[in-house]
Amino acid sequence: MFKKFSADEVKDRSKVKSSQQRAIRDAIRSQFPLLEPYMEEVLPKKAEIQVAKCEGKINVIMIESEPLFYNVRDGPYYPTLRILHQYPKMMPSMRVDKGAVRFVLSGANIMCPGLTSPNVAAELAKNDIASNTPVAIMAEDKEHALAVGHTQMSSTDIIAQNKGIGVNVVHTLNDGLWNTKMLD
């Protein structure tokens, strides 16, 4: 989604009214309950939230021109990888085996066999993740996420079927959003 993203794709940038700021904070708080203790650090009440409307109906939530979260067509919010690296436990995660890492970094969706290889299957079996849930994608033996995506099927279906697309990748390391530190 952000493979060729740049600041030039921003169509409109606007400050958000306080009622909309509360709605954005509440939506993010309800979607990421593990982020609750850090909410004041991530989205301070006194800070002015801005929304950048980009190509493809993408809304980027920013504070002081730094992208923090984004959503598509009023869908679920996804954190940028910079926020996810600061708060790695804020959302459910899935691990991919080492063979899938280079494909994920190039923006490919994750196939079920990459999530169910012997080295990473035990962690997937522990997590009960529903379909269409935003997830952090971690590499085998690494502590920081390499991508953000949403599940195409539940974790139990991924294990049972072991074929097809398991996770739709929307944001990776070194894509356009990662390389855009500030949207000025």
Side-chain angles (χ1 to χ4, degrees):
M1 177 184 301
F2 291 105
K3 195 166 193 156
K4 296 181 182 179
F5 181 80
S6 69
D8 299 335
E9 292 190 33
V10 176
K11 292 181 186 177
D12 183 34
R13 219 179 122 148
S14 59
K15 296 176 183 175
V16 180
K17 296 189 300 186
S18 62
S19 61
Q20 289 176 316
Q21 287 185 20
R22 273 193 305 275
I24 290 170
R25 280 189 185 92
D26 290 343
I28 291 171
R29 187 178 289 120
S30 68
Q31 190 174 337
F32 303 110
L34 297 175
L35 192 60
E36 179 67 38
Y38 311 104
M39 216 38 203
E40 192 57 34
E41 294 172 30
V42 177
L43 292 171
K45 288 183 181 176
K46 299 288 183 187
E48 192 172 83
I49 294 177
Q50 298 172 329
V51 175
K53 297 185 186 285
C54 306
E55 299 279 332
K57 306 264 186 196
I58 298 170
N59 298 319
V60 179
I61 309 300
M62 307 177 300
I63 291 183
E64 296 175 3
S65 298
E66 180 186 356
L68 302 175
F69 294 90
Y70 59 93
N71 71 347
V72 181
R73 298 180 188 254
D74 298 324
Y77 285 97
Y78 298 92
T80 62
L81 282 169
R82 293 186 193 287
I83 288 293
L84 191 56
H85 286 178
Q86 290 175 354
Y87 307 99
K89 303 291 184 198
M90 70 182 277
M91 65 190 303
S93 65
M94 292 184 161
R95 288 204 183 273
V96 295
D97 64 2
K98 291 177 182 174
V101 170
R102 70 183 177 117
F103 298 107
V104 173
L105 287 175
S106 67
N109 292 331
I110 304 169
M111 307 302 281
C112 292
L115 297 166
T116 58
S117 71
N119 297 337
V120 295
E123 185 175 330
L124 182 64
K126 284 190 270 183
N127 298 335
D128 187 27
I129 301 171
S131 178
N132 291 322
T133 302
V135 292
I137 308 302
M138 315 288 238
E140 183 180 343
D141 300 329
K142 300 293 180 188
E143 65 181 72
H144 290 296
L146 65 108
V148 175
H150 63 272
T151 56
Q152 290 288 98
M153 55 180 87
S154 68
S155 58
T156 53
D157 289 344
I158 289 172
I159 293 169
Q161 292 178 10
N162 201 22
K163 67 169 71 164
I165 297 173
V167 178
N168 210 359
V169 174
V170 292
H171 173 35
T172 64
L173 288 174
N174 292 324
D175 68 1
L177 185 59
W178 173 263
N179 292 325
T180 306
K181 291 178 178 65
M182 298 285 182
L183 283 174
D184 292 330

